[in-house]
Amino acid sequence: MPLNAFPKVRTRIAPSPTGNLHLGTVRTALYNVLFAKKHQGEFFFRLEDTDRQRSEEQFTQEILEGFKWLNISWDTPEGHVAERTSSRLRRTKDRSALGVHEDHEDDENAEIGVPLRARETLVGLGEDGIVRQSLREAVHSSYIERLINEGKAYRCFATVEELDAMREAQKARKEIEKYDNRSRDVSKDDSEKLLKEGKPYVVRLNLGADHVITWLDLIRGEVSINTRDLGGDPVIQKSTGQVLYNFAVVIDDYEMQISHILRGEDHISNTAKQIAIYEALNFPIPEFGHLPLIFTKDKQKLSKRKHGDIASVNTYKTQGYLAKALVNYLLGTSYNSAKYGEIFTITEAAEDFQITSVSKSPAIYDIQKLNWYNRDYISKLNYEEILTHVSRFSRFNLENNSLFNSSQIQLIIESIQESLDKFEQIDEHINYFFEDFKLDDSTLITIAEEGKEVIHEFISLIESGSLDFADQDSIKNGINSIGEKLNLKGKKLFFPIRVAISAKTSGPELGFIAVLLGKEKIIERLNSALLETSHRH
């Protein structure tokens, strides 16, 4: 690849709208963004929507809304189809620095396709900066015809029955089942004759004699795959005329001038096929990096089919996770910033990002780690920000409440702010301020066995008038005095009171709760707890 084959770093993400936006897709996009930012490059978005049976507009919208929510933006391609030109490979002591593919090492006069100057608008490019693959089918087909004319691809007229028989014979011989390239040597005249007779066919890439395809992977190091392990000459166009994935992405990446392709390691075998297509078309070959996939703790690949909603970005949006926290978590699954540690923004991470520092080991899905990130980000929100977020999830009309004034609402929210894993938990933490409740059996047992005396003493203390319900310290000191009287402390002292007035086992200070709820409500709940205990036990 010549030095000027890719004058600028350009990366891309290319999701298919065949399902919900997957965590892995976003994670891959983020590493592409980091790489582009690090090298003052560009990051593009392509929608691979050519699967007519499975692609749905609702998934397209979910993907776009997900990227918008996560604040992942993309650049607009220059809007041009790259022209093919001749160029000589430059000699250098460090060929790898130029991204030269090994098959071009000794071919000083190799003619390759180099994107140099604009010719016309990039087909499929929309005003939103997205390239839609489904609008590029005619472009893909034109390259198919070129390869057929150059003898680098051929029409395969083998019938389904013939191919089934071929595989059965291979199975009987205990051989690996793969296409045996039977149509590779069909003469041009015979092929034209079958074409005129209207025989259905697919188009296959001619891989030629078995050889090893090798590339220097940006993450995994040197990767080599023998073409004999690719399943025979691959189909690049169906009998319907639709080109297949591996061919379409090569054309699109070439015309979008993509210099670096970072994607999941499940694409490694695809990369070998794609390099063969690049070579057949005499295109400059971009650099590849294959990211480890996300696995669950039981060592299964995280998938929508097996794991359902936890694989979908929309789940975290609807549950009240902060977009910044999810972005930070996904980046942190395989990379930590040497400068900023675990908590960082995309801009900060890009400062010292090194693709070679991305872990080769599988990323492990860890909801507790995500919750840790989210708690950290939530704890740093100012009050106006957190009020906006929690109001969307609460049923208690926090912005205009009839029970508490705005200052009291602020105190309530800030008292539990650092305890929230996600915003949908808000009412679980604050409901007892706004509504009464029934105690469950486990808490009633605790009160019945250990706490009745504590509650009786607290009621007596309140009714004596010795506690100031405008002073949290007065409440705290009063409860401590009960502990001294009954020789109790810690959980045995505080737990029965907390459960009786809030139905919670943890939360803000008891004095804080008592001051906000007031004397009458506290006495009412303490008596109610005793009554429930006597009725059920």
Side-chain angles (χ1 to χ4, degrees):
M1 187 185 303
L3 188 63
N4 65 347
F6 296 108
K8 190 173 188 177
V9 168
R10 292 185 173 94
T11 65
R12 50 74 164 173
I13 190 68
S16 298
T18 55
N20 306 112
L21 178 58
H22 194 285
L23 288 178
T25 301
V26 171
R27 177 171 166 271
T28 298
L30 289 170
Y31 286 123
N32 276 277
V33 169
L34 280 191
F35 189 84
K37 281 182 176 288
K38 173 68 176 180
H39 298 282
Q40 294 78 51
E42 294 174 315
F43 167 71
F44 298 145
F45 189 107
R46 184 171 70 238
L47 195 66
E48 297 190 341
D49 55 349
T50 54
D51 188 333
R52 301 182 184 96
Q53 284 72 42
R54 298 174 59 217
S55 293
E56 295 184 23
E57 181 60 26
Q58 71 177 74
F59 294 135
T60 296
Q61 292 308 312
E62 181 182 323
I63 290 169
L64 298 181
E65 289 169 7
F67 272 77
K68 181 179 180 181
W69 174 63
L70 293 164
N71 199 29
I72 302 173
S73 58
W74 51 86
D75 301 295
T76 299
E78 295 176 0
H80 305 303
V81 170
E83 285 195 329
R84 183 173 178 276
T85 185
S86 298
S87 178
R88 292 175 180 269
L89 288 172
R90 302 185 180 188
R91 289 291 178 182
T92 176
K93 292 181 180 179
D94 183 9
R95 303 285 280 172
S96 63
L98 304 183
V100 179
H101 190 266
E102 70 162 21
D103 290 343
H104 293 316
E105 277 289 335
D106 300 315
D107 188 1
E108 189 173 15
N109 297 309
E111 184 185 52
I112 60 177
V114 182
L116 287 180
R117 63 187 181 85
R119 184 177 66 189
E120 57 186 83
T121 301
L122 177 63
V123 175
L125 175 63
E127 293 183 0
D128 53 7
I130 296 172
V131 175
R132 286 169 169 78
Q133 196 175 70
S134 60
L135 302 178
R136 296 179 47 77
E137 292 180 351
V139 175
H140 301 149
S141 296
S142 69
Y143 284 96
I144 293 285
E145 290 303 313
R146 168 181 156 185
L147 287 183
I148 291 175
N149 292 335
E150 293 177 356
K152 297 174 180 177
Y154 59 89
R155 299 181 182 92
C156 172
F157 293 91
T159 65
V160 172
E161 293 75 17
E162 288 173 336
L163 295 176
D164 285 344
M166 174 197 73
R167 284 188 285 269
E168 286 299 322
Q170 291 171 338
K171 190 186 299 184
R173 296 192 298 268
K174 297 182 179 181
E175 297 174 352
I176 295 174
E177 296 175 36
K178 63 179 182 179
Y179 178 63
D180 59 6
N181 304 330
R182 61 180 57 197
S183 298
R184 182 190 286 181
D185 298 322
V186 173
S187 69
K188 183 177 180 180
D189 288 342
D190 288 343
S191 180
E192 291 293 332
K193 179 182 177 184
L194 292 170
L195 184 64
K196 289 178 181 178
E197 291 174 359
K199 300 287 186 182
Y201 65 90
V202 298
V203 177
R204 294 180 181 271
L205 181 72
N206 189 337
L207 290 176
D210 290 345
H211 62 283
V212 175
I213 294 175
T214 299
W215 70 92
L216 186 62
D217 196 276
L218 293 168
I219 296 170
R220 304 175 69 86
E222 185 175 287
V223 179
S224 296
I225 296 179
N226 196 302
T227 56
R228 69 167 175 264
D229 298 322
L230 295 179
D233 289 343
V235 176
I236 56 176
Q237 186 178 45
K238 297 180 180 179
S239 59
T240 60
Q242 182 181 2
V243 301
L244 270 71
Y245 165 80
N246 280 317
F247 191 81
V249 297
V250 168
I251 302 305
D252 294 344
D253 285 337
Y254 166 65
E255 294 201 349
M256 291 172 68
Q257 303 183 29
I258 302 301
S259 64
H260 295 77
I261 297 173
L262 308 179
R263 56 191 179 187
E265 63 187 3
D266 52 339
H267 281 281
I268 287 178
S269 63
N270 284 333
T271 296
K273 295 174 184 177
Q274 289 168 22
I275 288 176
I277 294 170
Y278 277 104
E279 292 173 338
L281 289 164
N282 244 1
F283 286 170
I285 300 172
E287 292 193 60
F288 293 90
H290 291 88
L291 299 161
L293 303 180
I294 303 177
F295 281 74
T296 58
K297 289 184 177 181
D298 57 358
K299 299 181 180 179
Q300 290 187 331
K301 185 175 77 170
L302 183 66
S303 72
K304 303 166 192 173
R305 181 176 59 82
K306 286 184 179 180
H307 304 105
D309 291 343
I310 67 168
S312 171
V313 168
N314 198 49
T315 296
Y316 305 92
K317 179 182 178 182
T318 57
Q319 289 181 357
Y321 285 86
L322 286 167
K324 289 181 180 179
L326 184 57
V327 164
N328 201 156
Y329 165 72
L330 289 173
L331 284 173
T333 55
S334 294
Y335 179 80
N336 280 330
S337 168
K339 182 176 181 181
Y340 295 99
E342 289 190 280
I343 304 295
F344 50 77
T345 65
I346 291 180
T347 300
E348 289 170 343
E351 291 177 18
D352 63 348
F353 180 71
Q354 298 293 333
I355 191 65
T356 52
S357 296
V358 173
S359 173
K360 301 178 182 66
S361 302
I364 303 299
Y365 173 81
D366 185 347
I367 190 62
Q368 297 306 322
K369 188 68 172 181
L370 173 57
N371 288 342
W372 177 83
Y373 274 105
N374 209 46
R375 281 196 304 273
D376 185 85
Y377 277 88
I378 289 175
S379 70
K380 295 172 182 174
L381 295 176
N382 63 42
Y383 176 64
E384 288 73 20
E385 290 171 328
I386 192 168
L387 177 62
T388 298
H389 285 292
V390 297
S391 293
R392 298 195 190 106
F393 291 87
S394 178
R395 66 183 187 277
F396 297 123
N397 192 13
L398 299 177
E399 293 177 314
N400 186 23
N401 191 265
S402 59
L403 295 176
F404 300 100
N405 61 40
S406 58
S407 296
Q408 291 172 320
I409 291 292
Q410 181 170 350
L411 289 172
I412 290 171
I413 292 175
E414 290 180 342
S415 74
I416 55 85
Q417 181 170 352
E418 295 187 5
S419 301
L420 289 175
D421 288 338
K422 48 189 174 180
F423 294 124
E424 75 166 8
Q425 295 175 341
I426 181 63
D427 284 353
E428 298 173 25
H429 286 270
I430 67 172
N431 59 338
Y432 59 90
F433 286 107
F434 302 92
E435 62 186 7
D436 293 325
F437 47 80
K438 293 288 185 181
L439 295 174
D440 60 38
D441 287 342
S442 62
T443 52
L444 287 172
I445 291 172
T446 301
I447 292 174
E449 293 178 351
E450 302 176 358
K452 290 173 70 173
E453 190 174 8
V454 172
I455 292 176
H456 278 300
E457 288 289 339
F458 192 35
I459 292 173
S460 298
L461 191 60
I462 295 171
E463 291 178 338
S464 72
S466 60
L467 299 182
D468 181 0
F469 270 77
D471 182 1
Q472 294 185 36
D473 287 337
S474 174
I475 307 298
K476 180 180 178 181
N477 293 334
I479 296 173
N480 286 335
S481 71
I482 295 171
E484 292 174 3
K485 180 178 180 180
L486 301 178
N487 194 28
L488 295 173
K489 59 182 179 180
K491 184 178 178 180
K492 288 189 176 182
L493 173 63
F494 297 108
F495 186 84
I497 297 174
R498 180 177 295 281
V499 168
I501 67 174
S502 70
K504 309 294 182 188
T505 58
S506 62
E509 293 288 338
L510 291 177
F512 173 84
I513 298 172
V515 168
L516 277 170
L517 289 178
K519 177 179 177 178
E520 289 75 16
K521 179 59 71 174
I522 292 297
I523 292 176
E524 177 188 325
R525 289 188 177 175
L526 292 170
N527 282 320
S528 177
L530 291 174
L531 184 62
E532 285 190 64
T533 303
S534 64
H535 283 171
R536 294 200 219 175
H537 299 277

